[in-house]
Amino acid sequence: MTAAKAIINEIQGYHRFIKFLIFLVVLAALGGAIRFIFGLGATTNLNDTYPWGLWISFDVVTAVPLAAGAFTIGVVAHVFRIEKLEPLVRPAIVTGFLGYSLVCVGLLLDLGQPQRGVYVLFPWNWNVHSPMFEVSMCVMAYTTVLFLEFLHPVSERFGWHIPLRLLRNLQVPFAILAAMISTLHQSTLGTFFLIAVDKLHALWYTPLLPLQFWLSAIFTGLCIVMLEASLCHRYMGQPDESKLLATLTRIVPWVMGAYMIFKFVPLIAAPQGPLFDRPVLTTLFIAEITIGLFLPFWMFLQSRIRTDKSMQLQAASLVIFGLVLNRFNVSMFAMIQPGQQIYYPNILESVVTLGIIAAHILFFVLIAKYFPIFEHHPEAVDYSIPDRFHKIEKAGSVEVVEAPPQPAVPRAQPSPVAD
Amino acid sequence: MSTVNDFGKNKAFLIDMTKCTGCRGCQVACKQWNQLEAENTEFFSGEGYENPPAMSEFTFTRIKFRDYERNGQSEFAFYKEMCMHCNDAACVSVCPVAAFVKTPEGPVIYKTKTCIGCRFCMIACPFGVPKYEWSKAFPLVRKCTGCYSRVKEGLKPACVTTCPTAITYGPREEMIKEAERRLSAYPDRYLPKVYGKDEAGGTCVIYLTALPFDELGFKPVTMRALPSYTWQALRLVPGIFIGVGATLSAISWFQHRKERVQNEQAGMLSAMFQHPREQESQAQEDQTSQDVKEDQRS
């Protein structure tokens, strides 16, 4: 059987949901091709009044905080050393890596001159006054870090012991580096809109916008971890992690509380203009804070809800909804001036964004199928450092464990989604 | 940007809208000098006699028309729309690859060979000046260049050369002085305001009008230079980067140390050199005992 045949056979074996996802991704790829042949004007509903549309509002401004799970759980598990959360880390890193890679794809589609994207790296072009410069540098750096972290399950899968040992030692430095870079670009996404001082509505415009974006990225990142673990339990036959998630639900309300303080205090103490002069924006604001903020905050305060796996999922979903609405409010709805024609994404734009979401789920399921991302089992690989300097003997240890290095074990059972 | 510059010597446009006749010679001169394509337009497609209806990739400047009544008679008011060539321009500050440059002569110019096409300039510009080539597969931004190629050689911009009545061109401080002289000399002819003196931190296009500016379609803008709004957050970036790194490193070290001390107290000095499988089982035991504790607590 040739390689191509083997691949076709493999794909034919997939669940029909996976096949549907592949179909969506192919559609989006066609949409992307149309953008590069006929231009942005023909593919999207963008115009000189709306230079940024769905591709920026969702694929970049919203997708980046949605991919924040990797750095938040990394800090909680590796820096604060709550080690029992270890099983949640690796799926979150895969989600983050996919998220950032797809942010890059979305950005390349949206850029007028994607072939020049690398110009940002050339020192003679650097502009430290530009929030966009900062975000592009951070996104490139962080995607690299996530790639290196993602090499962990890859090396485990193929039994590359030396990179594994190296990556294992770099786990904590990487977690810290990830948090440093993420803090910068998550907040700077908020800084983007500080320059739109005469455009962004006063319900959202505040000099503290960067801080708000950073805090909301943190608690949403943790909620994304909950969502992903719950869905993997429900649809991919993974063990129930609700006990671990309950730990996260104890952290989330603290961050949400801080976010509320920094959201409402400046709004009441120093409003940047008339607040409730536009009914549509008022409605959006109220929807954002009640459904996406107060309700899940209240839910996370109830210990009954914190430990219940389906209620956890619901609360986390509400938080995610609130974040998506918040980012759309800031980057799109509240930027519309009164009397302006309304922008809505056309079918091609929407198909591309839908395809990017589908690609995220598809690649996650496929990676979960072929790489050990759920079973974090170091016992399968021999990490022990050779005792060159006889430290163990000097320390008076009784025995040195001599375990023969075992080959990496591929996933024990195939995921039920993909059969 | 945040550096203090003397913009008084910059070349600036003084546009006296009370003297504008609406001939639109500036529009034609601009198209000619910049070799801009004609636009297919219809009469009354914009507001009133405006044509074309808006600035675009093919139209860097245009005259806006307003009908109004004075002393029972219908009259026209005009507004010449163009790039304001801000002293501290938003587009210059937000461009990730520094494709916009504020030249020492005054015009804000755009480097076509550097732009990556993120369109942040279009979001940032408070006057809505940068326009995009939406019809192209690899589009660029288009905007008024302040006729930099002419100004550099000591000539005046094309629209200034053509305008028979309304535009004066010269060093910014002199233009502001001239504007203030006209305001005090003919107080009943003008609205007592020099638009562009402080708008968006000061611009190199200065307007005098008889009608309120918002009525003419001028955008209401802040008096602060726009880059200062983002810079007040961005200047904190290096400190936050190092601060977050240092804090998390300290926490990590402290948590590590706590664990080590616990291990030592348990007489497990060799734990660090243990085979991971044993560590794992140890951790599991710890966790089960912890779980038991938690259960007992609840």
Side-chain angles (χ1 to χ4, degrees):
Chain A
M1 200 156 52
T2 60
K5 244 185 181 173
I7 291 170
I8 291 168
N9 259 350
E10 182 80 15
I11 291 174
Q12 275 172 347
Y14 289 164
H15 190 276
R16 60 178 188 280
F17 178 65
I18 301 295
K19 288 179 187 159
F20 176 64
L21 288 177
I22 295 176
F23 170 72
L24 285 180
V25 174
V26 171
L27 269 190
L30 291 177
I34 292 172
R35 176 259 171 272
F36 284 116
I37 298 165
F38 297 104
L40 280 166
T43 321
T44 67
N45 272 356
L46 298 177
N47 54 39
D48 285 329
T49 320
Y50 293 98
W52 286 358
L54 180 68
W55 289 357
I56 291 290
S57 287
F58 186 81
D59 303 358
V60 180
V61 176
T62 309
V64 167
L66 288 184
F71 97 85
T72 44
I73 195 79
V75 166
V76 173
H78 290 152
V79 176
F80 288 90
R81 301 189 76 77
I82 307 181
E83 278 171 347
K84 62 178 177 180
L85 297 179
E86 193 64 44
L88 301 176
V89 173
R90 204 174 269 187
I93 283 172
V94 174
T95 316
F97 173 56
L98 285 174
Y100 274 83
S101 308
L102 292 167
V103 164
C104 294
V105 170
L107 208 52
L108 288 178
L109 279 176
D110 192 78
L111 283 183
Q113 307 276 342
Q115 79 285 6
R116 294 183 183 168
V118 62
Y119 285 15
V120 178
L121 293 173
F122 302 155
W124 55 90
N125 286 337
W126 284 0
N127 180 8
V128 292
H129 290 260
S130 167
M132 186 67 94
F133 167 73
E134 210 249 85
V135 166
S136 33
M137 290 297 248
C138 283
V139 166
M140 282 190 252
Y142 188 39
T143 312
T144 313
V145 171
L146 281 168
F147 174 71
L148 291 174
E149 288 185 311
F150 173 65
L151 281 183
H152 211 141
V154 175
S155 346
E156 227 167 74
R157 166 76 175 78
F158 295 112
W160 302 333
H161 289 208
I162 291 170
L164 250 184
R165 202 177 289 169
L166 198 66
L167 286 168
R168 200 155 196 249
N169 284 323
L170 287 174
Q171 219 169 32
V172 178
F174 273 165
I176 294 174
L177 190 62
M180 291 163 82
I181 302 174
S182 294
T183 300
L184 291 199
H185 69 262
Q186 296 285 3
S187 59
T188 305
L189 279 174
T191 313
F192 273 21
F193 298 95
L194 289 186
I195 200 114
V197 57
D198 301 310
K199 299 180 182 171
L200 184 61
H201 191 266
L203 278 174
W204 288 275
Y205 190 93
T206 153
L208 291 183
L209 204 57
L211 184 60
Q212 290 179 4
F213 268 45
W214 178 64
L215 287 170
S216 53
I218 291 176
F219 67 70
T220 312
L222 293 173
C223 288
I224 283 281
V225 173
M226 288 181 218
L227 176 82
E228 161 211 281
S230 313
L231 293 184
C232 289
H233 166 57
R234 221 178 251 195
Y235 299 109
M236 292 172 76
Q238 295 308 317
D240 178 13
E241 310 280 23
S242 56
K243 229 176 189 176
L244 300 183
L245 298 182
T247 314
L248 296 186
T249 58
R250 280 213 292 271
I251 304 172
V252 169
W254 286 99
V255 191
M256 285 181 90
Y259 173 72
M260 286 191 215
I261 292 170
F262 288 114
K263 191 171 174 70
F264 296 117
V265 170
L267 203 62
I268 296 160
Q272 307 284 311
L275 293 179
F276 303 108
D277 54 337
R278 290 168 61 188
V280 177
L281 292 185
T282 308
T283 315
L284 286 168
F285 182 75
I286 290 172
E288 178 195 320
I289 60 169
T290 49
I291 306 173
L293 197 57
F294 294 148
L295 182 58
F297 180 70
W298 175 81
M299 287 171 82
F300 279 135
L301 289 181
Q302 316 294 315
S303 67
R304 184 177 52 82
I305 291 176
R306 272 211 302 272
T307 45
D308 183 279
K309 63 183 175 187
S310 78
M311 292 305 268
Q312 274 173 357
L313 177 62
Q314 281 170 28
S317 308
L318 285 176
V319 169
I320 292 161
F321 166 80
L323 177 110
V324 173
L325 186 56
N326 172 260
R327 295 306 194 260
F328 268 87
N329 281 338
V330 171
S331 67
M332 191 183 283
F333 304 137
M335 293 281 280
I336 300 175
Q337 304 307 307
Q340 228 171 50
Q341 68 189 126
I342 303 293
Y343 160 89
Y344 53 91
N346 71 8
I347 187 101
L348 265 176
E349 257 176 301
S350 319
V351 161
V352 169
T353 294
L354 209 62
I356 286 178
I357 301 169
H360 194 281
I361 304 169
L362 173 68
F363 289 134
F364 183 85
V365 173
L366 290 185
I367 289 173
K369 183 170 160 64
Y370 296 109
F371 294 97
I373 69 162
F374 288 119
E375 311 85 338
H376 191 238
H377 46 182
E379 71 277 10
V381 190
D382 181 21
Y383 292 113
S384 58
I385 300 162
D387 186 28
R388 289 244 175 80
F389 304 103
H390 305 287
K391 280 196 171 177
I392 300 171
E393 282 157 47
K394 273 184 209 157
S397 168
V398 190
E399 51 172 331
V400 179
V401 185
E402 290 285 348
Q406 293 165 6
V409 184
R411 286 175 43 75
Q413 68 236 67
S415 95
V417 175
D419 56 20
Chain B
M1 260 153 269
S2 59
T3 54
V4 181
N5 270 332
D6 181 22
F7 296 104
K9 299 279 179 291
N10 280 184
K11 289 280 170 44
F13 300 72
L14 170 58
I15 308 180
D16 190 335
M17 297 314 331
T18 63
K19 293 186 179 177
C20 176
T21 61
C23 73
R24 288 176 282 198
C26 51
Q27 277 182 228
V28 178
C30 178
K31 288 242 175 193
Q32 279 183 340
W33 179 257
N34 292 300
Q35 298 281 298
L36 301 173
E37 268 178 52
E39 279 188 78
N40 210 350
T41 59
E42 285 166 34
F43 216 41
F44 294 115
S45 59
E47 298 167 53
Y49 292 97
E50 291 173 20
N51 200 6
M55 287 200 291
S56 72
E57 53 181 303
F58 308 116
T59 307
F60 294 170
T61 186
R62 75 187 189 109
I63 298 291
K64 280 183 143 186
F65 281 62
R66 279 288 178 282
D67 288 308
Y68 74 104
E69 274 192 17
R70 191 160 66 176
N71 306 331
Q73 277 196 316
S74 182
E75 284 200 35
F76 276 134
F78 309 106
Y79 158 33
K80 181 180 189 287
E81 220 182 3
M82 63 184 290
C83 173
M84 302 289 283
H85 300 286
C86 310
N87 292 344
D88 195 353
C91 56
V92 175
S93 90
V94 297
C95 182
V97 288
F100 285 92
V101 179
K102 172 78 177 172
T103 58
E105 291 86 349
V108 173
I109 58 164
Y110 165 74
K111 296 194 278 185
T112 49
K113 293 216 165 65
T114 317
C115 173
I116 59 171
C118 71
R119 305 191 292 284
F120 199 0
C121 46
M122 303 175 70
I123 293 285
C125 179
F127 303 103
V129 168
K131 302 292 174 191
Y132 213 51
E133 299 176 322
W134 293 106
S135 51
K136 294 192 178 162
F138 294 91
L140 290 167
V141 169
R142 306 300 310 267
K143 78 166 197 67
C144 161
T145 61
C147 281
Y148 184 60
S149 53
R150 293 171 62 91
V151 173
K152 201 167 52 175
E153 303 298 331
L155 296 171
K156 286 180 176 175
C159 56
V160 176
T161 320
T162 309
C163 181
T165 50
I167 312 179
T168 326
Y169 192 73
R172 187 168 183 269
E173 52 190 5
E174 283 177 30
M175 292 300 109
I176 290 175
K177 247 182 235 160
E178 169 64 15
E180 280 163 354
R181 188 192 67 76
R182 287 186 203 175
L183 284 190
S184 56
Y186 309 101
D188 48 341
R189 193 197 282 176
Y190 297 104
L191 202 81
K193 177 166 174 61
V194 182
Y195 188 96
K197 192 183 170 198
D198 300 310
E199 269 72 13
T203 63
C204 280
V205 179
I206 293 152
Y207 291 99
L208 290 176
T209 75
L211 280 187
F213 288 89
D214 54 338
E215 222 166 278
L216 286 171
F218 282 81
K219 300 219 163 62
V221 292
T222 166
M223 297 296 145
R224 229 170 101 184
L226 278 111
S228 65
Y229 286 93
T230 43
W231 186 243
Q232 65 186 6
L234 277 178
R235 71 198 164 89
L236 305 174
V237 157
I240 289 175
F241 187 66
I242 293 166
V244 169
T247 313
L248 292 182
S249 305
I251 292 170
S252 161
W253 177 84
F254 185 76
Q255 297 289 71
H256 233 111
R257 185 178 168 278
K258 216 160 70 180
E259 241 164 64
R260 206 171 57 222
V261 169
Q262 274 168 1
N263 285 344
E264 275 169 16
Q265 278 169 348
M268 287 173 59
L269 192 63
S270 60
M272 290 160 71
F273 304 101
Q274 228 175 12
H275 189 272
R277 192 189 293 175
E278 294 217 334
Q279 283 185 4
E280 192 81 356
S281 57
Q282 188 66 40
Q284 268 169 9
E285 271 171 36
D286 287 353
Q287 207 203 310
T288 43
S289 63
Q290 242 178 24
D291 286 345
V292 169
K293 267 185 216 160
E294 271 178 23
D295 288 344
Q296 280 169 350
R297 218 180 293 155
S298 65

